[in-house]
Amino acid sequence: MEFPGQGVTVLFGPSGSGKTTLLRCLSGLERSPEGLFKFGDATWQDEARDIFIPVHKRPIGLVFQEPRLFGHLNVRSNLLYGFNRTPESERRIFLDQVTEILGIAHLLDRRPKFLSGGEGQRVAIGRALLTSPRLLLMDEPLASLDQQRKREILPYIRRLQNELKIPIIYVSHSLGEVLQLVDTMVLLKQGQVVANGPVETVFSQLGLRGQIDPTLMGAVFDTTVEDHEPEFGLTRLRFMDHLLHVPKQEAEVGRPIRIHIHSNDVSIATSSPNNQTSVLNILAAEVIEVGPLDAPGYSVDIKLNVGQPMLATITRKSLARLGIVPGQKVYAHIKALKMVHEWDDHPMQ
Amino acid sequence: MDVANFDFTAIGLTLKLAGITVILLLIVGTPVAWWLAHTRSRARVFVEAVVALPLVLPPTVLGFYLLIALGPNGWIGGPAKAVTGSALSFTFTGLVIASTLYSLPFVVQPLHSSFEAVGKLPLETAGSLRASKWDAFFTVISPLALRGYITATVLGFAHTLGEFGVVLMVGGSIPGKTKVISIEIYDRVESLEYTQAHLLSGGLLVFSFLVLLTVYTINRRLPLHVA
């Protein structure tokens, strides 16, 4: 399997799916009995040739579930611990930069035990960044924080991704936590990769039913705020040629908002609604593929193209009644959608 | 017997013995304690029991075996004689070896528990921050285990000061070479020189009490860095 050399790649799966083990092997904290790990041109592990580069010689930064700050050192010394051990020629990230991005400049002289959980985790991220890693590995870095602290940290992670351009591999079992960060999604189950790809397409693949939490299936759209309709209490979001209505957002025009649509909340009509429905969000779509019909139960997944793939789950009876076939032009009625930043913690089943 | 003629040889010798012993113990005890704290080997309980033996054995038993081992025909004394020309029984070196074994549990056990409390995670964390294992041990683990080191140093030192049986068996009582305070006290009492015995005993009592008091105070005040 290959990971992209940029953006945020999320390893997503329930506990026991092997995501943390994979991360530990990538970092060199553990040596898998067999395996081949390469980073760019460098080989980190090749059991066939008995090559194993230990963790302290890999150009990585690691962030754990807990901050794991060194209690005998203050924040500044914690931040500089790895920096001082990084050869001068490899230093690309400096203290001022990191304290500015993470908002921790005022904490430098404190001892770790006087930090809140969110502050501690920001310092831990900063400490990892100051080794100027070429790859940042994060193992559920927000797991020990409450909802509010998570929201406090996520923008910082996005920001360091934007400003420092370090590829991030991020392990998580909580979709709400990662959906606003992720570029590439790797879905794991019992040590196997069940799906991987760009977040825009990974949840709209057919054949994932039974493999992942069904509430994940549907689509992820990256939209921007088009305008507000205060008289109706709505905000309109632009997604390609479409405009989607959502409850009023406190966000200025042009701001990006990622949304997730659950396939059960999408229904299909074969004729133009002509404003004869109460559903506001209707997208013209083309049927790409009809999912397997031999599955147990009464429903079937339809893969649609609305400029980007999207799944709709309808009953097999409706499928037969409407006579839906690939290539057909239809209308997708979206009954509900979720703004990603509104996601509550949503652990995988 | 007046105080002016007081002989300080035994005191100097005792402090020298305890000092050298503690340094040796920290060097030997650290890897043993680290191994005990982190190994999953079945040999662990065996090693733990061996380390704890000096706590329960009469010092004369330990002293007896050490006397034989360090003597001219012993498995330590024999080779030593071949190399240096003399065996180790009734020498200062022999005393150091004996004291090290005798005080081993007093150093290993506090280190063992503080290494367990610190855990292996700081080592991993330091590793991810470019620190080699040695580097991480000296810059992260040791400072975090500082309480353990202070307790180990003091207990090792104080316990060596107080030993009698082992020293008597292995070292005899050669003034200036192997005659430490505890034996000096014994000799004075035997020869009814109670003033000297009082001075030495009282001194040792006050010193030991002050040392322990200091340790417990430091341990109270010293912030425990482990979450």
Side-chain angles (χ1 to χ4, degrees):
Chain A
M1 190 169 74
E2 286 197 10
F3 294 107
Q6 58 185 23
V8 179
T9 301
V10 168
L11 305 180
F12 185 69
S15 345
S17 58
K19 52 195 192 314
T20 294
T21 308
L22 178 54
L23 200 77
R24 290 179 64 84
C25 290
L26 275 174
S27 64
L29 286 177
E30 254 168 60
R31 183 172 185 167
S32 59
E34 50 190 81
L36 177 63
F37 291 93
K38 286 191 174 182
F39 179 78
D41 297 331
T43 303
W44 283 354
Q45 185 181 350
D46 183 354
E47 286 308 304
R49 290 189 290 155
D50 198 29
I51 295 174
F52 181 80
I53 309 292
V55 55
H56 68 277
K57 292 192 176 152
R58 298 188 186 192
I60 52 153
L62 251 174
V63 180
F64 304 92
Q65 292 190 18
E66 326 76 41
R68 294 204 195 174
L69 299 178
F70 300 135
H72 62 296
L73 302 173
N74 65 13
V75 168
R76 184 193 312 273
S77 305
N78 265 284
L79 286 168
L80 292 174
Y81 187 89
F83 180 82
N84 290 336
R85 288 165 173 77
T86 306
E88 253 173 77
S89 58
E90 292 171 26
R91 290 178 190 166
R92 289 171 294 113
I93 298 172
F94 297 89
L95 187 64
D96 293 347
Q97 218 177 343
V98 162
T99 53
E100 201 270 317
I101 292 180
L102 294 168
I104 50 178
H106 61 296
L107 304 174
L108 285 176
D109 294 320
R110 285 206 208 156
R111 287 272 176 170
K113 69 173 168 184
F114 297 112
L115 301 178
S116 73
E119 289 168 340
Q121 201 55 302
R122 266 145 63 196
V123 173
I125 293 169
R127 184 176 64 171
L129 287 173
L130 280 165
T131 63
S132 300
R134 292 175 61 206
L135 175 66
L136 187 61
L137 303 169
M138 306 181 100
D139 183 7
E140 309 212 26
L142 308 183
S144 58
L145 304 177
D146 60 35
Q147 207 57 35
Q148 199 188 333
R149 299 267 172 263
K150 282 182 189 175
R151 288 211 191 120
E152 171 193 317
I153 291 199
L154 280 167
Y156 289 116
I157 298 180
R158 185 82 259 176
R159 202 171 154 198
L160 67 93
Q161 167 61 28
N162 290 343
E163 294 187 17
L164 301 175
K165 309 280 181 230
I166 299 169
I168 298 178
I169 295 182
Y170 189 113
V171 157
S172 180
H173 70 284
S174 156
L175 192 70
E177 179 180 312
V178 296
L179 211 47
Q180 58 173 294
L181 293 174
V182 57
D183 298 306
T184 305
M185 200 84 189
V186 179
L187 301 174
L188 291 159
K189 191 184 181 185
Q190 289 166 354
Q192 300 296 319
V193 175
V194 290
N196 77 90
V199 66
E200 298 87 5
T201 59
V202 77
F203 294 120
S204 51
Q205 296 179 27
L206 288 172
L208 289 181
R209 191 161 290 279
Q211 300 280 337
I212 64 169
D213 179 350
T215 63
L216 299 177
M217 297 172 58
V220 172
F221 294 159
D222 279 320
T223 69
T224 50
V225 175
E226 179 80 6
D227 55 17
H228 299 288
E229 296 182 322
E231 67 274 32
F232 298 121
L234 293 173
T235 293
R236 296 200 299 170
L237 304 177
R238 170 158 295 279
F239 166 63
M240 302 181 128
D241 297 336
H242 313 285
L243 285 175
L244 296 163
H245 296 76
V246 297
K248 172 116 179 57
Q249 299 296 302
E250 296 301 327
E252 63 267 37
V253 170
R255 213 196 88 173
I257 291 186
R258 182 171 271 185
I259 60 172
H260 181 271
I261 297 166
H262 177 21
S263 66
N264 275 352
D265 293 327
V266 181
S267 57
I268 292 176
T270 47
S271 59
S272 166
N274 288 327
N275 301 328
Q276 302 285 308
T277 169
S278 67
V279 175
L280 280 173
N281 294 320
I282 298 173
L283 309 182
E286 184 187 344
V287 177
I288 302 173
E289 199 182 345
V290 175
L293 291 168
D294 51 356
Y298 52 82
S299 57
V300 58
D301 296 321
I302 314 281
K303 188 172 184 177
L304 303 171
N305 182 7
V306 292
Q308 199 182 291
M310 175 169 83
L311 282 191
T313 303
I314 62 171
T315 60
R316 289 216 296 273
K317 184 169 181 179
S318 301
L319 177 77
R321 203 157 48 99
L322 297 171
I324 291 168
V325 290
Q328 192 175 350
K329 305 282 186 204
V330 294
Y331 295 88
H333 290 220
I334 298 167
K335 289 170 282 182
L337 48 77
K338 251 181 162 170
M339 262 64 60
V340 161
H341 60 90
E342 275 189 352
W343 276 70
D344 284 326
D345 205 21
H346 183 110
M348 201 164 170
Q349 62 173 182
Chain B
M1 182 61 60
D2 61 307
V3 182
N5 292 334
F6 191 73
D7 186 3
F8 289 95
T9 321
I11 297 175
L13 186 75
T14 308
L15 293 177
K16 184 174 150 199
L17 175 66
I20 293 176
T21 302
V22 155
I23 292 168
L24 270 180
L25 275 172
L26 291 176
I27 296 171
V28 176
T30 297
V32 175
W34 181 261
W35 184 84
L36 285 174
H38 297 301
T39 185
R40 282 181 221 154
S41 160
R42 280 192 202 163
R44 199 185 91 128
V45 284
F46 182 77
V47 175
E48 266 185 307
V50 169
V51 169
L53 269 180
L55 291 177
V56 292
L57 277 183
T60 42
V61 172
L62 190 67
F64 173 64
Y65 286 122
L66 277 169
L67 182 65
I68 293 173
L70 298 173
N73 300 317
W75 60 275
I76 302 174
K81 192 177 182 193
V83 176
T84 65
S86 66
L88 295 169
S89 47
F90 308 110
T91 66
F92 182 74
T93 313
L95 269 198
V96 170
I97 295 174
S99 306
T100 304
L101 277 174
Y102 185 54
S103 296
L104 192 62
F106 291 86
V107 169
V108 168
Q109 287 182 355
L111 290 181
H112 178 175
S113 21
S114 56
F115 286 153
E116 260 179 358
V118 170
K120 264 192 153 171
L121 296 186
L123 203 61
E124 282 191 351
T125 312
S128 77
L129 296 167
R130 308 268 190 279
S132 68
K133 291 221 160 125
W134 284 103
D135 182 359
F137 185 83
F138 286 112
T139 56
V140 178
I141 302 290
S142 305
L144 289 177
L146 188 60
R147 267 193 185 194
Y149 272 100
I150 292 178
T151 310
T153 305
V154 171
L155 288 185
F157 189 86
H159 189 248
T160 307
L161 285 190
E163 69 183 286
F164 178 74
V166 175
V167 173
L168 192 64
M169 296 286 283
V170 175
S173 77
I174 305 163
K177 261 175 87 183
T178 63
K179 194 176 199 174
V180 294
I181 296 177
S182 56
I183 293 168
E184 180 85 31
I185 293 170
Y186 183 76
D187 286 353
R188 297 292 173 177
V189 173
E190 285 275 271
S191 47
L192 300 177
E193 294 168 352
Y194 276 29
T195 316
Q196 291 273 9
H198 261 305
L199 272 174
L200 287 166
S201 299
L204 206 54
L205 177 75
V206 170
F207 179 78
S208 303
F209 175 73
L210 287 180
V211 160
L212 291 175
L213 192 67
T214 314
V215 175
Y216 289 123
T217 313
I218 290 177
N219 271 357
R220 274 257 146 166
R221 297 233 178 114
L222 197 71
L224 192 64
H225 297 304
V226 183

